[in-house]
Amino acid sequence: MSRSRVQVLQLAACVAFFVVTNAPDAQEDSGTLDEIVVTATRMQSSIGDVARSISIIDKERIQNATQQLGLGEALAGVPGLYIQNRYNFSQDLSISLRGFGARASFGIRGIRVYVDGIPETLPDGQAQVDSIDLGSAESIEVLRGPASSLYGNASGGVIAIETELGADEPYLEAGLAAGELGFEQYGLKTGGSWRKLDYLFNVSHQEIDGYREHSFAEGSLLNGKVGVRLNDDDHLTIAINHTDQPEAQDPGAIDAALAAVNPRAARDLNLLFDSGESLSQQRLGVVYERQRPTGSLLLRNYYVWRDFENRLPFVDGGAVDFDRFFYGAGIQYTFGEPLPEAAGITAGIDFDRQIDDRRRYDNNQGKPGDLVFDQRERVDSLGAYVLGEYDLGARWNLSASLRYDQVTFDVGDRFLADGDDSGEIEFDQVSPSLGASFHFGEHVVFGSFSSSFETPTTTELANPDGSGGFNAALEPQRADNYEIGIKGEPAGFYYELALFHIELTGELVPFEIAGFPGRTFFSNAGESTRNGLETAVSWRHDSGFGAEASWTWSDFEFDTFTDESGTPFGGKQLPGLPEHFGYAGLTYSTEGGFYARFEARYSGELYADNANTVEVGRYTVANLRASYEIEHGHWSVQPYAGVNNLFDERYNSHIRTNAFGGRYYEPAPERNAYAGVDVRYRFDGL
């Protein structure tokens, strides 16, 4: 056992011994911890009983005076969650949670994303967040740490977003915003209740030229949600979403010399080949819930259609075109009577299918040329799970879960000029978890073991030789997570601290090769270890002042790993993630409608390559925003403004790890401002 692992376990044992032996004899009121209900654990539980690290972001944090360029604005203060790439809309947001997702060259890997109970994560483990409408988001729950015993493949963490539903008083709201970097945004939202219906619809359009050359992006969103109260026991929710993004240019990453003299520059090949993407996506989801004393039933069914085109900065196969159909269904039952009140059991089955018709053409300086790749890819995911919890009395709560998953990749090669590369790969996995929480006063100590597995995605299974089919040499990444922590809310002051140790085998690591610059391939690392400490505090005062802070320490190390060229990297740090990062926020609000928030994000040094030879410096970025709501009769007007990168820090929005030719850097924008106004009219009722 490594020295760092022993130190972490010793510290965990000391914390547990101190807390338990110094707990008061009499059970006191556990405060509001037991009043906050979370659902990301697939059972309705109080945050005090959940033996896991979980963060909650409310509507004010998500929507009030924010620019809403992407999910990263709302998630910035979550400990353990590291965010990059907020300004390259062609590559999507880069999110890492306890190191899971750090390898992604585009999109999100290793983290399950759900909106209103409908997955944004594909069966192969890849997620996009370009269709998430922050303008109608009500809350976000972040389950930190492996959760495959709950959600299956690619569950290094879970982000569950719940959108708004109708208000008691119907309303119509219009919004308009503009700012530097060519930013424009406008939208229209309506919501309310009518008889047995609750409804909300939001439509918005956004354009931004971007800071760097060749960074223009535009997109439109329609998000809708309708709740139907069928009777006292039965409820139906229908969710729809339409996303249209006709253009998102990709300036690419550049080397250190060019980033120093001209951070606005795009990579020359990205300009030559007109790198970027366009997409159109539609989603329909239906969730049915029945609540009875004998138990509760949940059924879900969804369908997603996605058309996607991508231009990469090289000729051979550099123009990508695929049509995707993604659908699934699930059933979940939570037992009620005659189970004892202290016990809870939930069981369920998930089935998801992904069908991609994928084609590659030569990229002739931005124009598609000859067809060089054509295959139909199908991924099936089938999982069955059971969860249980038991309340041992006034202090102890126990929980456990177990899940079996089978993920099948099937490829049908339709480009036979270079041979038939059709084939099938199947992975299966059993994922357990155990947890316990101990209440004393307004505090809770918890400990847990959980596991995860993560298959390569269809894109990551690409063969490095450029041929069709799948790379059969790749295996799933597997992880075991051990965690102990404490959380509490004494006198309105919330705090949490979590210490974790993760052991990984077969970690999926990206690399580039000279023949396909800008395209990423993957290999399995041998073993790696992740130790970390996450802490967060928040405080609110009746005067209107509030404060939040979080800090994360990460020690993520390759134990044994030799890359494709035979170079050993044992003892090296995982690239793309800093050892330390943190967040601090100050708010002030009044009953008269004024709101202001100052926030600062800190990122420590990190490495850009597996060899740890390229170090990226630390930075601190501060933002400021404010709003003022004026109400008069049925009308309310809320002007707002904000400044990003208040102190004009020079830093990188994204680091592309192990990039060929030293092209690691995507410089972030300088100081820039925006302003807008929301106007709402409330009706008397229908």
Side-chain angles (χ1 to χ4, degrees), residues 215-267:
S215 295
F216 174 78
E218 68 170 317
S220 300
L221 274 171
L222 167 64
N223 198 67
K225 187 175 178 182
V226 177
V228 184
R229 298 181 297 277
L230 301 175
N231 53 49
D232 292 341
D233 300 325
D234 300 84
H235 188 270
L236 186 69
T237 302
I238 303 170
I240 61 171
N241 179 276
H242 173 72
T243 304
D244 181 30
Q245 297 183 15
E247 182 67 21
Q249 296 175 334
D250 179 13
I254 55 180
D255 60 25
L258 184 55
V261 298
N262 187 9
R264 287 180 175 266
R267 183 189 176 207

Side-chain angles (χ1 to χ4, degrees), residues 382-401:
L382 179 64
Y385 59 91
V386 60
L387 326 172
E389 62 179 14
Y390 195 81
D391 188 349
L392 292 179
R395 292 179 179 271
W396 288 95
N397 184 277
L398 305 179
S399 59
S401 55

Side-chain angles (χ1 to χ4, degrees), residues 290-454:
R290 166 173 285 187
Q291 302 283 345
R292 296 283 179 85
T294 54
S296 60
L297 174 68
L298 185 147
L299 303 173
R300 66 174 176 88
N301 184 214
Y302 68 93
Y303 304 88
V304 180
W305 299 264
R306 186 178 179 94
D307 298 326
F308 178 85
E309 294 180 359
N310 188 26
R311 301 175 302 278
L312 299 172
F314 52 86
V315 175
D316 187 16
V320 181
D321 179 8
F322 71 74
D323 300 321
R324 171 172 293 156
F325 182 38
F326 166 34
Y327 64 94
I331 179 171
Q332 178 176 299
Y333 188 79
T334 300
F335 294 86
E337 299 174 356
L339 282 180
E341 186 176 349
I345 298 177
T346 295
I349 298 174
D350 294 327
F351 172 76
D352 303 283
R353 172 170 288 175
Q354 167 190 347
I355 301 173
D356 292 350
D357 288 317
R358 188 184 303 270
R359 295 166 293 277
R360 287 184 178 272
Y361 303 85
D362 287 341
N363 183 355
N364 296 329
Q365 298 185 16
K367 303 295 182 182
D370 294 337
L371 179 70
V372 298
F373 180 95
D374 185 4
Q375 65 185 29
R376 183 179 177 87
E377 303 162 353
R378 193 182 81 181
V379 185
D380 289 343
S381 175
L382 179 64
Y385 59 91
V386 60
L387 326 172
E389 62 179 14
Y390 195 81
D391 188 349
L392 292 179
R395 292 179 179 271
W396 288 95
N397 184 277
L398 305 179
S399 59
S401 55
L402 184 68
R403 179 173 172 127
Y404 171 77
D405 284 278
Q406 183 182 80
V407 184
T408 304
F409 292 78
D410 184 272
V411 58
D413 190 358
R414 298 186 293 203
F415 187 79
L416 304 178
D418 57 354
D420 188 352
D421 294 309
S422 301
E424 182 178 287
I425 302 176
E426 183 176 291
F427 306 110
D428 60 353
Q429 182 73 22
V430 175
S431 305
S433 74
L434 295 169
S437 59
F438 175 77
H439 294 249
F440 65 101
E442 297 173 319
H443 315 272
V444 179
V445 174
F446 64 93
S448 67
F449 163 81
S450 57
S451 64
S452 75
F453 77 101
E454 186 177 344

Side-chain angles (χ1 to χ4, degrees), residues 180 622-626 641-647 671-674:
E180 296 181 270
N623 304 318
L624 177 66
R625 63 180 186 265
V643 181
N644 298 316
N645 196 1
L646 184 63
F647 302 116
R671 180 172 49 238
N672 62 94
Y674 65 91

